[in-house]
Amino acid sequence: MKDTFTHKGMRKKLVDSLRKKGITNENVLEAINRVPRHWFMDSGFLDHAYVDKAFPIAADQTISQPYTVARQTELLEVVSGDKVLEIGTGSGYQCAVLLEMGVQVYTIERQNELFKKASLFLPKIGYRPKKMVFGDGYKGLPEFAPFDGIVVTAGAPFVPKPLLAQLKIGGRLVIPVGEELQIMTVFTRKSEKEFEKTEHGEYRFVPLLGDKN
Ligand code: SAM
């Protein structure tokens, strides 16, 4: 796997464009600058790796747009050492960005093909999540809860209660909520029973799949 000066130059331009679009957390921008996004896509698609667009991977799924990855990571407000659950491993790119920030990542994927691919690929390129699980993200990972942050990388038709229950006090759930179009929503756990909700604009994700689809 190569990461040449050309790749690094393209990545730097991408990071500059994310800064112009309003990403201000330098730790997030630095992490994006370090992860070779072209490794997460087939080799023929280099031209697509460093433009700010989502791109098809296997199993009808996508690697999220870099801006979306940056914004969701920024909204998590994580620091090194935090424990984060990601719902929707997909290509493993978001997971790698979190690992570059020193976060302990637990990640769940519902499509076996993607789970297998990411489980082999991430360690091969030096990224080691705490736990990679093949399963249903609606349920979270109660056996490893509570988490400082939970990030859902697919469009959720509703907010799964188990995910709220698995946050630490002060922890944040970043979740795009909606069917066709989603509102990026952050729930911050204020106490055992209280959550503060904020909204952060419209996005379009592939759906968070449930039991019936
Ligand atoms: N985070 C990924 C990345 O960096 O490439 C992007 C993922 S893609 C936009 C959404 C992912 O969520 C897909 O891989 C999809 O299979 C997965 N997914 C959908 N429903 C799920 C569920 N119920 N539990 C876990 N993963 C799910």
Side-chain angles (χ1 to χ4, degrees), residues 152-205:
V152 179
T153 71
F158 60 90
V159 181
K161 287 213 173 79
L163 299 187
L164 290 170
Q166 290 171 33
L167 284 178
K168 282 186 191 168
I169 309 287
R172 294 159 75 82
L173 168 64
V174 177
I175 180 167
V177 186
E179 307 242 351
E180 287 291 294
L181 200 68
Q182 298 89 30
I183 306 290
M184 191 62 75
T185 310
V186 177
F187 292 90
T188 307
R189 189 166 204 172
K190 294 289 177 188
S191 68
E192 202 50 44
K193 293 212 170 121
E194 286 166 306
F195 295 87
E196 180 188 272
K197 176 182 167 187
T198 56
E199 293 183 342
H200 302 269
E202 289 178 354
Y203 289 77
R204 210 177 278 276
F205 281 79

Side-chain angles (χ1 to χ4, degrees), residues 3 5 9 29 33 39 74 99-100 128 137 142-144 148 168-169 199-200 213:
D3 189 31
F5 282 118
L29 291 167
N33 201 30
W39 289 357
E74 187 169 70
L99 288 168
E100 283 285 359
R128 289 189 173 72
E143 60 276 44
F144 295 101
D148 296 289
K168 282 186 191 168
I169 309 287
E199 293 183 342
H200 302 269
N213 48 22

